[in-house]
Amino acid sequence: MAKILAKRKLAPEIYFFEVAAPLVAAKAQPGHFVIVRADQTGERIPLTIVDYDREGGTIDLVVQRVGASTQELASLAVGDSFLDLLGPLGEPVEIEKIGTVVCVAGGLGVAPVYPKAKYLKEAGNEVINIVGARTAEMVIMKEEMSEVADEIYFSTDDGSLGHEGFVTEVLDSLLAEGKEVDEVIAVGPAIMMKGVAEVTAKYDVDTIVSLNPIMVDGTGMCGGCRVTVGEETKFACVEGPAFDGHLVDFDELMRRQGHYQSKEEKAEHKCKLEKEVE
Amino acid sequence: MAKRQVMDKQEPEERINNFAEVAQGFTEKEAVAEAQRCLQCDKSPCVDGCPVGVPIPDFIELITAKEFSEALATIKEKNAFPAICGRVCPQEEQCEAECVLGNKGEPVNIGALERFVADWELEKDSADKKEIETEADRAKVAVVGSGPAGLTAAADLAKLGYQVTLFEALSEAGGVLKYGIPEFRLPKAIVNKEIKELEELGVEIKLNTLIGATLSLDDLWEDGYEAVFVGVGAGLPYFLNLPGENLNGVYSANEFLTRVNLMKAYKFPEYRTPITLGNQVAVIGAGNVAMDSARTALRLGAEEVSIVYRRSRNEMPAREEEIENAEAEGVNFQLLRNPVKIIGNEEGWVKGLECVEMELGEEDSSGRPRPIPIEGSNFTIEVDTVIVAIGQGPNPLLSKKTPELETNDWHNIIVDEESYQTSIAGVFAGGDVIGGNATVIAAMGDGRGAAQAIDEYLQSK
């Protein structure tokens, strides 16, 4: 049981949770994730560790309501607990001083990007953050992302904040202007990470992406999260979730993400019906 | 000679529509009748056939006298999990293979008798149960992994008076008994009851704790544990490395069975974990995991389920009883066929499995005839789901995070055969992680042996 100590609404359907998990907080590093389950009938859902407080024994998580299972997680309140919380899982990303790093975050991708940006900045790097979402209202953690960046750019599909268009366009113009960049870290929807990798390939800039395939156990025992990286099959839960963006088969990833789409719709439909009955 | 009593089973046409247990267990009358067949041999070869040495004639004699509680207590001196072992042990290769009656007729149905007394007690009110006395509090011992090996080691160590903590990465204890073996062979309520008894012995179970990630071995020493037993099994699924293996509709058996058994996807959407299954399912492999996958697929409503195996029926590694159950339920066996490619449709879902026909050649190093492809015999089976059940190896996670823990090329932890001692002093290992032969009872035998070795180690410390 992992007790929820604080909860905030960050944007429509997006919630921040501070959770008591002392063992996880003690070992967490940027790039790690946890698997949580709301209750006995719940599904196991992977969530990035957004930040951690080793002394306080807490970790921060962000949940976006996209279906029945995330609805259950998102509806938990302060004082409630996640029935199960397992972690920290995955391989952390290496944080060292390399020079200038551009962190590109799309939608909920801000959550996994934030700890990397924060600790890269602490390690003495020049950090440029590019944060995008559909609308200004959907841009989460604006202040936090600003605090850990030397420069920050926003982009929204409708132009309600920053550049009107995609984060990839902001990145492209930055690189086109001749900005010296040593590494790009990109996290967001697979289609966005694919776009970022295409842009950075043009300029030959190293790119790390954090993949979000479907997971079950998160410990390497089922292969549900397998992805193709440089012609090889990898289990994202134990060998990732961070990989070289120029080697990832994004089309395969996006196809596999849709594996349970019809089932998810059914679960959500039932979830809504139950709500109406209540 | 009286005829061997066999358990009633749910009829095949009925049972493929539910997940309830297939074999119904003995009635009291059947159990006593079967127990009376036992010749009570002086030499008791059946006991030698049991990996944990259950005193078989003794408990059977108690059944003939209807002293069921005493019969169970006799079993429990050697085996803490009779309701599980009575169900899933391959008795035909173990105790029953040695039964003297088997020489001229049919052996005593030892597994069914063991199961009968265990179930008989589990159904009673727990207040009636005999208290098991344990010795005074001794050193703290950590058991990593709550599958058959870890459960047995924990039970034995607790009885010896050690303060045992069992660490489990998943949200439920039991390992393969929970996520692997389906409800229709091993009801989860039975497993839960036997695990609850372990807690009554004083074993503390810590779930959602992955040793190597949540806690390291060093953390365990710091927390005051004086010995560690590693029984983390072989949970890493092998894939075929064939083209098309990452298509939608291709599962490892581990993923398929975990979704259904542990996460109860067969009760979707009441339980939230989904499973997507087509109408034509191919299961690749012919071990018990393959049979479990095929029979599970039928119960989820697949129209046609095929086992695809590169050797012939004689070489199939699954238990004979499970193969027969699968046949009775209508699983189709495509023998001497080896998959070479999984074919997808335009949306990236499985639509076919290209196979090649095989013939059997000379014996290979495993002592089985080597399957040889017949050139030009390629053909395609129309399927929309493929379940890969060709075996699994140890998860390298713990050894990767603990470099001083020596492993072989297959990631098996290397132990001294006699003492179960690993390359780290105070760390012992057993079960599938040391390359065991992948049966529940063999893992339990390792857990027992390692518990004794840990006791000796701590006594001499």
Side-chain angles (χ1 to χ4, degrees), chain A residues 90-134:
Chain A
E91 280 294 321
V93 290
E94 276 179 39
I95 300 291
E96 50 194 0
K97 189 172 175 188
I98 48 173
T100 300
V101 182
V102 179
C103 296
V104 188
L108 197 70
V110 177
V113 163
Y114 170 74
K116 292 163 196 146
K118 175 178 165 178
Y119 292 98
L120 281 165
K121 177 85 178 128
E122 277 180 14
N125 292 285
E126 182 189 4
V127 174
I128 301 170
N129 284 342
I130 304 174
V131 180
R134 289 202 311 275

mmCIF file of all heavy atoms in Angstrom, chain A residues 90-134:
data_model
loop_
_atom_site.group_PDB
_atom_site.id
_atom_site.type_symbol
_atom_site.label_atom_id
_atom_site.label_comp_id
_atom_site.label_asym_id
_atom_site.label_seq_id
_atom_site.Cartn_x
_atom_site.Cartn_y
_atom_site.Cartn_z
ATOM 1 N N GLY A 90 13.320 -0.172 -14.372
ATOM 2 C CA GLY A 90 14.004 0.333 -15.560
ATOM 3 C C GLY A 90 15.429 0.752 -15.264
ATOM 4 O O GLY A 90 15.886 0.701 -14.123
ATOM 5 N N GLU A 91 16.118 1.131 -16.315
ATOM 6 C CA GLU A 91 17.493 1.624 -16.184
ATOM 7 C C GLU A 91 17.449 3.150 -16.095
ATOM 8 O O GLU A 91 16.805 3.794 -16.923
ATOM 9 C CB GLU A 91 18.315 1.224 -17.418
ATOM 10 C CG GLU A 91 18.801 -0.217 -17.393
ATOM 11 C CD GLU A 91 19.808 -0.481 -16.276
ATOM 12 O OE1 GLU A 91 20.670 0.400 -16.019
ATOM 13 O OE2 GLU A 91 19.729 -1.560 -15.658
ATOM 14 N N PRO A 92 18.130 3.737 -15.117
ATOM 15 C CA PRO A 92 18.140 5.203 -15.065
ATOM 16 C C PRO A 92 18.927 5.775 -16.249
ATOM 17 O O PRO A 92 19.737 5.063 -16.840
ATOM 18 C CB PRO A 92 18.861 5.494 -13.751
ATOM 19 C CG PRO A 92 19.660 4.270 -13.453
ATOM 20 C CD PRO A 92 18.931 3.111 -14.073
ATOM 21 N N VAL A 93 18.658 7.034 -16.580
ATOM 22 C CA VAL A 93 19.468 7.674 -17.639
ATOM 23 C C VAL A 93 20.730 8.231 -17.002
ATOM 24 O O VAL A 93 20.726 8.669 -15.851
ATOM 25 C CB VAL A 93 18.716 8.805 -18.379
ATOM 26 C CG1 VAL A 93 17.607 8.234 -19.246
ATOM 27 C CG2 VAL A 93 18.169 9.835 -17.423
ATOM 28 N N GLU A 94 21.808 8.187 -17.757
ATOM 29 C CA GLU A 94 23.075 8.703 -17.234
ATOM 30 C C GLU A 94 23.009 10.220 -17.160
ATOM 31 O O GLU A 94 22.636 10.890 -18.119
ATOM 32 C CB GLU A 94 24.224 8.321 -18.169
ATOM 33 C CG GLU A 94 24.743 6.930 -17.900
ATOM 34 C CD GLU A 94 25.865 6.570 -18.844
ATOM 35 O OE1 GLU A 94 26.701 7.463 -19.135
ATOM 36 O OE2 GLU A 94 25.894 5.411 -19.285
ATOM 37 N N ILE A 95 23.334 10.741 -15.983
ATOM 38 C CA ILE A 95 23.352 12.194 -15.822
ATOM 39 C C ILE A 95 24.803 12.611 -15.638
ATOM 40 O O ILE A 95 25.441 12.267 -14.646
ATOM 41 C CB ILE A 95 22.520 12.607 -14.583
ATOM 42 C CG1 ILE A 95 21.063 12.162 -14.720
ATOM 43 C CG2 ILE A 95 22.631 14.113 -14.334
ATOM 44 C CD1 ILE A 95 20.237 12.868 -15.761
ATOM 45 N N GLU A 96 25.363 13.284 -16.621
ATOM 46 C CA GLU A 96 26.738 13.773 -16.478
ATOM 47 C C GLU A 96 26.855 15.075 -17.241
ATOM 48 O O GLU A 96 25.965 15.456 -17.987
ATOM 49 C CB GLU A 96 27.745 12.740 -16.975
ATOM 50 C CG GLU A 96 27.425 12.212 -18.341
ATOM 51 C CD GLU A 96 28.227 10.960 -18.692
ATOM 52 O OE1 GLU A 96 29.039 10.500 -17.868
ATOM 53 O OE2 GLU A 96 28.047 10.461 -19.791
ATOM 54 N N LYS A 97 27.958 15.760 -17.060
ATOM 55 C CA LYS A 97 28.123 17.034 -17.756
ATOM 56 C C LYS A 97 28.588 16.766 -19.174
ATOM 57 O O LYS A 97 29.675 16.230 -19.390
ATOM 58 C CB LYS A 97 29.137 17.907 -17.019
ATOM 59 C CG LYS A 97 29.147 19.298 -17.606
ATOM 60 C CD LYS A 97 29.963 20.288 -16.838
ATOM 61 C CE LYS A 97 29.958 21.594 -17.618
ATOM 62 N NZ LYS A 97 30.858 22.576 -17.071
ATOM 63 N N ILE A 98 27.744 17.099 -20.131
ATOM 64 C CA ILE A 98 28.132 16.882 -21.522
ATOM 65 C C ILE A 98 28.105 18.177 -22.329
ATOM 66 O O ILE A 98 28.601 18.222 -23.429
ATOM 67 C CB ILE A 98 27.240 15.824 -22.210
ATOM 68 C CG1 ILE A 98 25.754 16.096 -21.959
ATOM 69 C CG2 ILE A 98 27.584 14.424 -21.736
ATOM 70 C CD1 ILE A 98 24.837 15.190 -22.736
ATOM 71 N N GLY A 99 27.520 19.242 -21.783
ATOM 72 C CA GLY A 99 27.484 20.516 -22.511
ATOM 73 C C GLY A 99 26.085 21.063 -22.589
ATOM 74 O O GLY A 99 25.480 21.393 -21.574
ATOM 75 N N THR A 100 25.560 21.120 -23.805
ATOM 76 C CA THR A 100 24.210 21.648 -23.987
ATOM 77 C C THR A 100 23.245 20.519 -24.309
ATOM 78 O O THR A 100 23.493 19.721 -25.212
ATOM 79 C CB THR A 100 24.194 22.683 -25.138
ATOM 80 O OG1 THR A 100 25.090 23.741 -24.798
ATOM 81 C CG2 THR A 100 22.796 23.245 -25.341
ATOM 82 N N VAL A 101 22.160 20.479 -23.544
ATOM 83 C CA VAL A 101 21.158 19.435 -23.750
ATOM 84 C C VAL A 101 19.807 20.091 -24.012
ATOM 85 O O VAL A 101 19.416 21.009 -23.290
ATOM 86 C CB VAL A 101 21.032 18.524 -22.514
ATOM 87 C CG1 VAL A 101 20.019 17.406 -22.762
ATOM 88 C CG2 VAL A 101 22.385 17.935 -22.142
ATOM 89 N N VAL A 102 19.127 19.643 -25.055
ATOM 90 C CA VAL A 102 17.767 20.113 -25.300
ATOM 91 C C VAL A 102 16.799 19.030 -24.853
ATOM 92 O O VAL A 102 16.909 17.875 -25.282
ATOM 93 C CB VAL A 102 17.533 20.431 -26.796
ATOM 94 C CG1 VAL A 102 16.090 20.898 -27.002
ATOM 95 C CG2 VAL A 102 18.505 21.497 -27.280
ATOM 96 N N CYS A 103 15.899 19.394 -23.955
ATOM 97 C CA CYS A 103 14.878 18.457 -23.482
ATOM 98 C C CYS A 103 13.559 18.800 -24.144
ATOM 99 O O CYS A 103 13.057 19.916 -23.976
ATOM 100 C CB CYS A 103 14.717 18.543 -21.968
ATOM 101 S SG CYS A 103 16.204 18.038 -21.086
ATOM 102 N N VAL A 104 13.017 17.857 -24.893
ATOM 103 C CA VAL A 104 11.773 18.096 -25.607
ATOM 104 C C VAL A 104 10.677 17.263 -24.954
ATOM 105 O O VAL A 104 10.820 16.046 -24.828
ATOM 106 C CB VAL A 104 11.895 17.707 -27.098
ATOM 107 C CG1 VAL A 104 10.646 18.146 -27.852
ATOM 108 C CG2 VAL A 104 13.153 18.301 -27.711
ATOM 109 N N ALA A 105 9.604 17.932 -24.527
ATOM 110 C CA ALA A 105 8.542 17.223 -23.821
ATOM 111 C C ALA A 105 7.206 17.514 -24.484
ATOM 112 O O ALA A 105 6.852 18.669 -24.704
ATOM 113 C CB ALA A 105 8.488 17.664 -22.362
ATOM 114 N N GLY A 106 6.467 16.464 -24.772
ATOM 115 C CA GLY A 106 5.148 16.641 -25.373
ATOM 116 C C GLY A 106 4.078 16.081 -24.472
ATOM 117 O O GLY A 106 4.197 14.951 -23.997
ATOM 118 N N GLY A 107 3.047 16.870 -24.186
ATOM 119 C CA GLY A 107 1.919 16.397 -23.377
ATOM 120 C C GLY A 107 2.377 15.915 -22.017
ATOM 121 O O GLY A 107 3.097 16.601 -21.291
ATOM 122 N N LEU A 108 2.006 14.675 -21.685
ATOM 123 C CA LEU A 108 2.373 14.107 -20.397
ATOM 124 C C LEU A 108 3.876 13.794 -20.327
ATOM 125 O O LEU A 108 4.400 13.527 -19.247
ATOM 126 C CB LEU A 108 1.568 12.821 -20.158
ATOM 127 C CG LEU A 108 1.522 12.329 -18.721
ATOM 128 C CD1 LEU A 108 0.675 13.255 -17.869
ATOM 129 C CD2 LEU A 108 1.011 10.904 -18.655
ATOM 130 N N GLY A 109 4.563 13.860 -21.467
ATOM 131 C CA GLY A 109 6.008 13.611 -21.507
ATOM 132 C C GLY A 109 6.795 14.551 -20.619
ATOM 133 O O GLY A 109 7.960 14.286 -20.290
ATOM 134 N N VAL A 110 6.191 15.665 -20.229
ATOM 135 C CA VAL A 110 6.862 16.583 -19.301
ATOM 136 C C VAL A 110 7.257 15.839 -18.018
ATOM 137 O O VAL A 110 8.324 16.054 -17.464
ATOM 138 C CB VAL A 110 5.949 17.777 -18.945
ATOM 139 C CG1 VAL A 110 6.620 18.691 -17.929
ATOM 140 C CG2 VAL A 110 5.584 18.555 -20.206
ATOM 141 N N ALA A 111 6.383 14.933 -17.578
ATOM 142 C CA ALA A 111 6.631 14.233 -16.317
ATOM 143 C C ALA A 111 7.951 13.460 -16.336
ATOM 144 O O ALA A 111 8.771 13.633 -15.439
ATOM 145 C CB ALA A 111 5.439 13.338 -15.971
ATOM 146 N N PRO A 112 8.185 12.640 -17.341
ATOM 147 C CA PRO A 112 9.484 11.963 -17.370
ATOM 148 C C PRO A 112 10.659 12.879 -17.739
ATOM 149 O O PRO A 112 11.798 12.588 -17.359
ATOM 150 C CB PRO A 112 9.309 10.865 -18.422
ATOM 151 C CG PRO A 112 8.031 11.125 -19.117
ATOM 152 C CD PRO A 112 7.225 12.057 -18.291
ATOM 153 N N VAL A 113 10.402 13.953 -18.468
ATOM 154 C CA VAL A 113 11.518 14.830 -18.870
ATOM 155 C C VAL A 113 12.015 15.664 -17.688
ATOM 156 O O VAL A 113 13.212 15.888 -17.531
ATOM 157 C CB VAL A 113 11.087 15.757 -20.031
ATOM 158 C CG1 VAL A 113 12.058 16.929 -20.188
ATOM 159 C CG2 VAL A 113 11.003 14.971 -21.331
ATOM 160 N N TYR A 114 11.091 16.073 -16.841
ATOM 161 C CA TYR A 114 11.440 16.995 -15.765
ATOM 162 C C TYR A 114 12.629 16.525 -14.904
ATOM 163 O O TYR A 114 13.580 17.279 -14.717
ATOM 164 C CB TYR A 114 10.210 17.303 -14.886
ATOM 165 C CG TYR A 114 10.569 18.054 -13.633
ATOM 166 C CD1 TYR A 114 10.911 19.421 -13.702
ATOM 167 C CD2 TYR A 114 10.628 17.426 -12.399
ATOM 168 C CE1 TYR A 114 11.282 20.109 -12.561
ATOM 169 C CE2 TYR A 114 10.995 18.109 -11.255
ATOM 170 C CZ TYR A 114 11.329 19.445 -11.336
ATOM 171 O OH TYR A 114 11.705 20.127 -10.212
ATOM 172 N N PRO A 115 12.618 15.280 -14.358
ATOM 173 C CA PRO A 115 13.756 14.891 -13.506
ATOM 174 C C PRO A 115 15.074 14.885 -14.277
ATOM 175 O O PRO A 115 16.122 15.199 -13.709
ATOM 176 C CB PRO A 115 13.391 13.475 -13.025
ATOM 177 C CG PRO A 115 12.358 12.985 -13.980
ATOM 178 C CD PRO A 115 11.617 14.202 -14.455
ATOM 179 N N LYS A 116 15.015 14.552 -15.561
ATOM 180 C CA LYS A 116 16.254 14.539 -16.349
ATOM 181 C C LYS A 116 16.783 15.964 -16.490
ATOM 182 O O LYS A 116 17.977 16.227 -16.288
ATOM 183 C CB LYS A 116 16.009 13.896 -17.712
ATOM 184 C CG LYS A 116 15.715 12.405 -17.572
ATOM 185 C CD LYS A 116 15.067 11.807 -18.800
ATOM 186 C CE LYS A 116 14.460 10.454 -18.424
ATOM 187 N NZ LYS A 116 13.246 10.145 -19.153
ATOM 188 N N ALA A 117 15.884 16.896 -16.855
ATOM 189 C CA ALA A 117 16.289 18.290 -17.004
ATOM 190 C C ALA A 117 16.850 18.825 -15.691
ATOM 191 O O ALA A 117 17.907 19.469 -15.653
ATOM 192 C CB ALA A 117 15.093 19.130 -17.456
ATOM 193 N N LYS A 118 16.157 18.492 -14.604
ATOM 194 C CA LYS A 118 16.559 19.004 -13.293
ATOM 195 C C LYS A 118 17.968 18.530 -12.927
ATOM 196 O O LYS A 118 18.826 19.325 -12.538
ATOM 197 C CB LYS A 118 15.546 18.523 -12.242
ATOM 198 C CG LYS A 118 15.904 18.887 -10.810
ATOM 199 C CD LYS A 118 14.821 18.413 -9.839
ATOM 200 C CE LYS A 118 15.340 18.440 -8.408
ATOM 201 N NZ LYS A 118 14.322 18.028 -7.443
ATOM 202 N N TYR A 119 18.210 17.231 -13.056
ATOM 203 C CA TYR A 119 19.505 16.707 -12.626
ATOM 204 C C TYR A 119 20.612 16.997 -13.643
ATOM 205 O O TYR A 119 21.777 17.116 -13.289
ATOM 206 C CB TYR A 119 19.383 15.218 -12.265
ATOM 207 C CG TYR A 119 18.535 15.033 -11.014
ATOM 208 C CD1 TYR A 119 17.187 14.697 -11.090
ATOM 209 C CD2 TYR A 119 19.074 15.290 -9.752
ATOM 210 C CE1 TYR A 119 16.404 14.579 -9.941
ATOM 211 C CE2 TYR A 119 18.305 15.178 -8.606
ATOM 212 C CZ TYR A 119 16.961 14.823 -8.699
ATOM 213 O OH TYR A 119 16.199 14.722 -7.557
ATOM 214 N N LEU A 120 20.245 17.167 -14.917
ATOM 215 C CA LEU A 120 21.243 17.585 -15.911
ATOM 216 C C LEU A 120 21.707 19.004 -15.610
ATOM 217 O O LEU A 120 22.896 19.332 -15.711
ATOM 218 C CB LEU A 120 20.656 17.524 -17.328
ATOM 219 C CG LEU A 120 20.597 16.124 -17.950
ATOM 220 C CD1 LEU A 120 19.674 16.124 -19.157
ATOM 221 C CD2 LEU A 120 21.989 15.630 -18.342
ATOM 222 N N LYS A 121 20.765 19.841 -15.234
ATOM 223 C CA LYS A 121 21.081 21.232 -14.882
ATOM 224 C C LYS A 121 21.987 21.240 -13.648
ATOM 225 O O LYS A 121 23.010 21.941 -13.617
ATOM 226 C CB LYS A 121 19.766 21.973 -14.607
ATOM 227 C CG LYS A 121 19.921 23.408 -14.156
ATOM 228 C CD LYS A 121 20.063 24.347 -15.350
ATOM 229 C CE LYS A 121 20.156 25.794 -14.873
ATOM 230 N NZ LYS A 121 21.336 26.463 -15.449
ATOM 231 N N GLU A 122 21.611 20.437 -12.653
ATOM 232 C CA GLU A 122 22.433 20.365 -11.436
ATOM 233 C C GLU A 122 23.843 19.873 -11.738
ATOM 234 O O GLU A 122 24.791 20.223 -11.044
ATOM 235 C CB GLU A 122 21.779 19.424 -10.399
ATOM 236 C CG GLU A 122 20.703 20.109 -9.587
ATOM 237 C CD GLU A 122 20.054 19.166 -8.567
ATOM 238 O OE1 GLU A 122 20.598 18.083 -8.300
ATOM 239 O OE2 GLU A 122 18.970 19.535 -8.062
ATOM 240 N N ALA A 123 23.953 19.022 -12.777
ATOM 241 C CA ALA A 123 25.270 18.481 -13.140
ATOM 242 C C ALA A 123 26.093 19.490 -13.941
ATOM 243 O O ALA A 123 27.216 19.202 -14.352
ATOM 244 C CB ALA A 123 25.093 17.189 -13.934
ATOM 245 N N GLY A 124 25.526 20.686 -14.191
ATOM 246 C CA GLY A 124 26.293 21.754 -14.825
ATOM 247 C C GLY A 124 26.092 21.903 -16.317
ATOM 248 O O GLY A 124 26.857 22.593 -16.992
ATOM 249 N N ASN A 125 25.070 21.262 -16.850
ATOM 250 C CA ASN A 125 24.809 21.404 -18.284
ATOM 251 C C ASN A 125 24.009 22.671 -18.580
ATOM 252 O O ASN A 125 23.288 23.176 -17.718
ATOM 253 C CB ASN A 125 24.002 20.206 -18.788
ATOM 254 C CG ASN A 125 24.807 18.928 -18.753
ATOM 255 O OD1 ASN A 125 25.684 18.700 -19.575
ATOM 256 N ND2 ASN A 125 24.521 18.099 -17.755
ATOM 257 N N GLU A 126 24.133 23.156 -19.824
ATOM 258 C CA GLU A 126 23.201 24.167 -20.309
ATOM 259 C C GLU A 126 21.952 23.398 -20.750
ATOM 260 O O GLU A 126 22.051 22.487 -21.576
ATOM 261 C CB GLU A 126 23.784 24.941 -21.496
ATOM 262 C CG GLU A 126 22.839 26.031 -21.985
ATOM 263 C CD GLU A 126 23.271 26.681 -23.303
ATOM 264 O OE1 GLU A 126 24.265 26.247 -23.904
ATOM 265 O OE2 GLU A 126 22.574 27.613 -23.719
ATOM 266 N N VAL A 127 20.805 23.733 -20.149
ATOM 267 C CA VAL A 127 19.584 22.990 -20.444
ATOM 268 C C VAL A 127 18.577 23.880 -21.163
ATOM 269 O O VAL A 127 18.256 24.972 -20.695
ATOM 270 C CB VAL A 127 18.958 22.420 -19.146
ATOM 271 C CG1 VAL A 127 17.605 21.757 -19.432
ATOM 272 C CG2 VAL A 127 19.905 21.413 -18.502
ATOM 273 N N ILE A 128 18.134 23.425 -22.327
ATOM 274 C CA ILE A 128 17.088 24.130 -23.071
ATOM 275 C C ILE A 128 15.857 23.231 -23.099
ATOM 276 O O ILE A 128 15.941 22.086 -23.535
ATOM 277 C CB ILE A 128 17.551 24.429 -24.523
ATOM 278 C CG1 ILE A 128 18.825 25.280 -24.504
ATOM 279 C CG2 ILE A 128 16.425 25.104 -25.311
ATOM 280 C CD1 ILE A 128 19.489 25.430 -25.868
ATOM 281 N N ASN A 129 14.753 23.738 -22.583
ATOM 282 C CA ASN A 129 13.528 22.930 -22.566
ATOM 283 C C ASN A 129 12.563 23.391 -23.644
ATOM 284 O O ASN A 129 12.342 24.600 -23.817
ATOM 285 C CB ASN A 129 12.843 23.037 -21.195
ATOM 286 C CG ASN A 129 13.564 22.207 -20.148
ATOM 287 O OD1 ASN A 129 14.339 21.310 -20.474
ATOM 288 N ND2 ASN A 129 13.323 22.512 -18.879
ATOM 289 N N ILE A 130 12.007 22.437 -24.355
ATOM 290 C CA ILE A 130 10.936 22.731 -25.307
ATOM 291 C C ILE A 130 9.724 21.925 -24.859
ATOM 292 O O ILE A 130 9.787 20.700 -24.782
ATOM 293 C CB ILE A 130 11.328 22.333 -26.746
ATOM 294 C CG1 ILE A 130 12.638 23.033 -27.159
ATOM 295 C CG2 ILE A 130 10.196 22.668 -27.714
ATOM 296 C CD1 ILE A 130 13.170 22.593 -28.517
ATOM 297 N N VAL A 131 8.665 22.648 -24.520
ATOM 298 C CA VAL A 131 7.497 21.997 -23.942
ATOM 299 C C VAL A 131 6.278 22.253 -24.825
ATOM 300 O O VAL A 131 5.980 23.409 -25.148
ATOM 301 C CB VAL A 131 7.219 22.533 -22.514
ATOM 302 C CG1 VAL A 131 6.002 21.847 -21.907
ATOM 303 C CG2 VAL A 131 8.442 22.336 -21.625
ATOM 304 N N GLY A 132 5.606 21.185 -25.197
ATOM 305 C CA GLY A 132 4.451 21.352 -26.080
ATOM 306 C C GLY A 132 3.229 20.612 -25.593
ATOM 307 O O GLY A 132 3.325 19.671 -24.802
ATOM 308 N N ALA A 133 2.083 21.074 -26.065
ATOM 309 C CA ALA A 133 0.815 20.398 -25.766
ATOM 310 C C ALA A 133 -0.206 20.865 -26.788
ATOM 311 O O ALA A 133 0.104 21.705 -27.635
ATOM 312 C CB ALA A 133 0.333 20.723 -24.356
ATOM 313 N N ARG A 134 -1.422 20.305 -26.691
ATOM 314 C CA ARG A 134 -2.447 20.695 -27.657
ATOM 315 C C ARG A 134 -2.831 22.159 -27.470
ATOM 316 O O ARG A 134 -2.920 22.914 -28.426
ATOM 317 C CB ARG A 134 -3.693 19.809 -27.502
ATOM 318 C CG ARG A 134 -3.493 18.384 -27.980
ATOM 319 C CD ARG A 134 -4.829 17.728 -28.322
ATOM 320 N NE ARG A 134 -5.816 17.888 -27.277
ATOM 321 C CZ ARG A 134 -5.917 17.069 -26.212
ATOM 322 N NH1 ARG A 134 -5.081 16.066 -26.064
ATOM 323 N NH2 ARG A 134 -6.857 17.269 -25.310
#
